[in-house]
Amino acid sequence: MEPMVEIKALSAHAGAAVTLQGWLYGKRSGGKVAFLLVRDGTGLCQCVVEAEAADAFARANELAQESSLQVTGTVRKDERAPGGYELLVTAVRPIQIAKDYPITRKAHGVDFLMNHRHLWFRTPRQTAILRVRHRLIRSMRAFFDDRGFTLVDTPILSPGAAEGAGTLFPVDFFDEQVYLAQTGQLYLEAAAMALGKVYCFGPTFRAEKSKTRRHLAEFWMIEPEIAFAELPDLAELAEAFITHLVGDILTHCRAELETLERDMAPLERIAPPFPRLTYSEAVDLLHSGEVHERLLSELERDRACLKQWQADLGRAEEERAAAKKGWRQDKLDRQILELRENIRELDVDLRNRPGHIENARHFAWGNDLGGDEETILSRHFDKPVIITEYPKDVKAFYMKPKPDDPRVVLNLDVIAPEGYGEIIGGSQREDDFDALIARMEQEQMDRAPYEWYLDLRRYGSVPHGGFGLGVERTVAWICGLRHIRETIPFPRMMGRMTP
RNA sequence: UCCGGCGUAGCUCAAUGGUAGAGCGGGUGACUGUUAAUCACUAGGUUGUAGGUUCGAGCCCUACCGCCGGAGCCA
């Protein structure tokens, strides 16, 4: 038999007879010629079956969308073929004939697609996202591996613990109530005292009842932890880390980003130094006339934009009504759907916006920065923003207060550009035994389960810290996705457990 | 938990309170270098559920269920 070839390698076999195996992505057929669009996970290839190849032609006509098959033929360069190469078919071998494949090559709604997630990710857009995710994870691990970090796996089952117990998933562990981990951090601190620089990478679980485009109940997080590191070291590491990730995706996943129609210009700008401001400076910025003016002018601009879109929609609908059947109508349908969705979204946004602007202007020092504030701050810059030194009261017990201003802690958040929200959260940890237990008492925490953790402060405590980066939010940002649910093969979120 | 929006054919959507429709997909046939092909024919419905108002409800009212995304919380 002819050599089995992957579609991505077709160009190296021009003129040769080869066999492809894969699935039928689409088909156009007629009396004298059939075009099979075959995908194999590495690419798409148009396979031309002419009626003279009678057996192949007959079999080609039996195939429906997503049937599995092998096709043999001669590779040839052709301008008209997507990808530039096509296969002139001599034999078609169906493996299994699919019937009534539910996802057609037309528009579908989110709920329908989510219910068919197991099939949905066969489409070019979804496979592009999954490839970016893969490359991103590989880049993340390479970044730490190349800098002398050791991967340490932390447990997924963890004893209750006090911190935000309300947001954990309870699990029955031999009649004992334990929880799914929401971070590996405490264990990682122990590992850092053994190995110096460590990281963990794994799933993490949050039972927050959040149904937004930024939330998953189960997501993946990579967390470095470093002995002898202070807040500025962490900020520098986070900056280098993100720069590395974006650069790596831009070099290795251009085709995928093009498939996703991601505007790459904002990504090309990602380079050190990132803007850094303290929480207090961020609050001042929110209060500033400069920001207020900008928000108001953006509001005006977006209102004009809404009107423009509504006009576009009206025009498209008129044109749709007048259009003849066929691809022209099809294209208009797509435009209309997209416009409607954008309009609905912007309309809601515009109605909420004046309130947000007022909230920002009167934001009180001491509150945690919410999604709106983050968005406002991130829109003020065109790179990720590092915000440090939040009020102690809104942060976790293990964060080290700033020596000369104990109202705040030595923490950092990194806010992604373009409104994608917080992608990194971390801190320098409290390394002093007495200060740590004082804080735990303040929070009325039960000390017993933490004795092992306190040992780290008893035996050779050193300044240290780390952060966690959310994989899915980072994928969503880099790919420019509207929703985080597309960034993970099988999303787990409130109200969604299948498939 | 709160706020807002939406539930009509397998899918995406139409339908002044007055005979439930289109496109796609499925089926049958025709046609051919097609690009989410095209043309003709065809099958396909308890309008989310339960009440109510009305001569008459897909449309109005009430409750519930489901979905969407925003707040809170967070990566």
Side-chain angles (χ1 to χ4, degrees):
Chain A
M1 203 208 273
E2 295 72 14
M4 199 68 78
V5 171
E6 290 187 333
I7 290 171
K8 71 174 176 194
L10 268 187
S11 60
H13 293 81
V18 301
T19 297
L20 306 177
Q21 52 188 350
W23 298 263
L24 188 69
Y25 181 64
K27 178 177 84 167
R28 290 172 293 278
S29 64
K32 294 216 174 99
V33 63
F35 299 92
L36 305 179
L37 205 50
V38 174
R39 57 168 195 89
D40 72 347
T42 74
L44 271 176
C45 176
Q46 171 166 289
C47 303
V48 185
V49 192
E50 292 178 340
E52 288 88 75
D55 184 61
F57 189 70
R59 289 178 183 278
N61 280 307
E62 292 163 6
L63 296 169
Q65 199 187 352
E66 286 303 320
S67 297
S68 47
L69 72 161
Q70 291 182 334
V71 244
T72 301
T74 311
V75 182
R76 69 178 180 199
K77 204 169 164 61
D78 194 308
E79 294 287 319
R80 294 166 295 187
Y85 290 85
E86 63 180 19
L87 200 70
L88 182 58
V89 174
T90 53
V92 174
R93 285 180 295 280
I95 298 170
Q96 190 255 334
I97 304 219
K99 204 168 159 23
D100 298 332
Y101 185 70
I103 302 181
T104 65
R105 300 180 72 187
K106 296 282 174 181
H108 294 283
V110 183
D111 193 44
F112 179 82
L113 290 171
M114 286 301 297
N115 285 332
H116 295 83
R117 181 63 178 167
H118 53 297
L119 303 175
W120 183 22
F121 58 33
R122 296 183 183 195
T123 57
R125 192 181 155 81
Q126 295 303 312
T127 52
I129 296 169
L130 292 179
R131 283 200 196 91
V132 171
R133 178 189 171 97
H134 162 76
R135 183 72 214 189
L136 188 78
I137 288 171
R138 178 177 159 159
S139 309
M140 292 188 319
R141 298 201 41 177
F143 178 87
F144 291 120
D145 292 346
D146 293 347
R147 281 166 181 73
F149 284 70
T150 302
L151 175 70
V152 174
D153 299 310
T154 56
I156 286 172
L157 294 174
S158 65
E163 194 215 342
T167 65
L168 301 181
F169 287 107
V171 172
D172 178 73
F173 183 74
F174 306 115
D175 296 330
E176 184 188 349
Q177 175 141 308
V178 301
Y179 299 89
L180 294 179
Q182 62 170 345
T183 168
Q185 185 211 313
L186 302 189
Y187 303 98
L188 219 46
E189 287 185 51
M193 299 304 132
L195 291 153
K197 292 191 282 188
V198 296
Y199 72 98
C200 68
F201 175 58
T204 188
F205 306 89
R206 304 281 165 91
E208 291 143 10
K209 292 190 173 173
S210 296
K211 293 183 73 169
T212 81
R213 68 185 68 189
R214 294 185 305 280
H215 284 89
L216 292 169
E218 178 184 298
F219 64 96
W220 289 66
M221 186 159 69
I222 189 158
E223 299 175 82
E225 187 77 27
I226 312 152
F228 301 104
E230 300 186 12
L231 182 59
D233 305 315
L234 297 174
E236 207 168 301
L237 184 71
E239 183 179 82
F241 185 41
I242 291 173
T243 303
H244 167 82
L245 296 180
V246 172
D248 203 52
I249 294 298
L250 283 174
T251 24
H252 293 100
C253 295
R254 273 197 178 260
E256 283 77 10
L257 294 179
E258 274 161 24
T259 299
L260 296 166
E261 295 175 304
R262 173 59 156 125
D263 177 9
M264 284 181 242
L267 297 178
E268 310 272 9
R269 279 197 294 268
I270 306 303
F274 295 172
R276 294 173 203 213
L277 54 168
T278 64
Y279 169 90
S280 296
E281 288 165 345
V283 173
D284 289 344
L285 191 59
L286 289 174
H287 291 169
S288 71
E290 185 195 356
V291 162
H292 191 68
E293 291 301 307
R294 188 176 52 83
L295 291 173
L296 291 178
S297 74
E298 276 178 8
L299 185 61
E300 280 315 303
R301 191 198 61 201
D302 288 347
R303 278 181 176 148
C305 179
L306 181 66
K307 278 193 188 134
Q308 180 64 49
W309 283 353
Q310 282 164 339
D312 290 348
L313 179 63
R315 206 172 315 124
E317 279 171 339
E318 267 174 43
E319 212 175 319
R320 168 70 173 75
K324 293 281 264 179
K325 276 192 237 172
W327 69 271
R328 176 83 192 127
Q329 216 176 43
D330 234 34
K331 197 173 170 185
L332 282 166
D333 278 345
R334 241 180 308 162
Q335 276 176 10
I336 289 168
L337 283 179
E338 198 180 328
L339 273 170
R340 280 197 188 132
E341 190 175 353
N342 289 342
I343 286 171
R344 203 179 310 141
E345 212 162 86
L346 185 59
D347 188 44
V348 171
D349 182 22
L350 285 175
R351 263 180 289 161
N352 294 333
R353 199 94 69 84
H356 294 164
I357 292 174
E358 277 313 291
N359 289 346
R361 201 178 178 187
H362 300 108
F363 184 85
W365 197 101
N367 292 329
D368 203 358
L369 294 173
D372 299 330
E373 286 81 38
E374 282 178 355
T375 303
I376 291 169
L377 291 168
S378 81
R379 291 242 169 90
H380 199 69
F381 304 95
D382 58 1
K383 290 181 187 180
V385 188
I386 303 177
I387 306 177
T388 59
E389 300 177 12
Y390 282 54
K392 186 179 72 176
D393 294 339
V394 299
K395 289 294 173 183
F397 75 96
Y398 49 74
M399 295 188 179
K400 188 178 180 67
K402 190 179 185 188
D404 57 0
D405 183 5
R407 294 179 310 154
V408 300
V409 289
L410 298 172
N411 78 306
L412 79 164
D413 279 2
V414 180
I415 315 294
E418 302 170 71
Y420 280 91
E422 187 182 342
I423 52 171
I424 280 182
S427 72
Q428 188 176 332
R429 322 302 186 192
E430 179 55 80
D431 52 299
D432 181 77
F433 181 87
D434 295 324
L436 188 56
I437 53 170
R439 183 70 200 277
M440 290 173 70
E441 273 163 24
Q442 234 178 51
E443 307 254 323
Q444 299 179 319
M445 291 169 60
D446 179 13
R447 186 170 141 177
Y450 290 96
E451 282 304 327
W452 69 267
Y453 183 68
L454 291 167
D455 272 354
L456 307 176
R457 277 68 180 171
R458 287 187 182 101
Y459 307 115
S461 189
V462 299
H464 67 287
F467 59 78
L469 173 133
V471 171
E472 287 77 13
R473 281 192 186 174
T474 306
V475 174
W477 163 48
I478 290 178
C479 291
L481 305 180
R482 202 187 275 272
H483 200 296
I484 200 169
R485 70 188 141 213
E486 290 178 66
T487 63
I488 186 166
F490 293 100
R492 292 290 177 256
M493 36 207 243
M494 201 173 61
R496 161 101 29 218
M497 200 58 196
T498 49

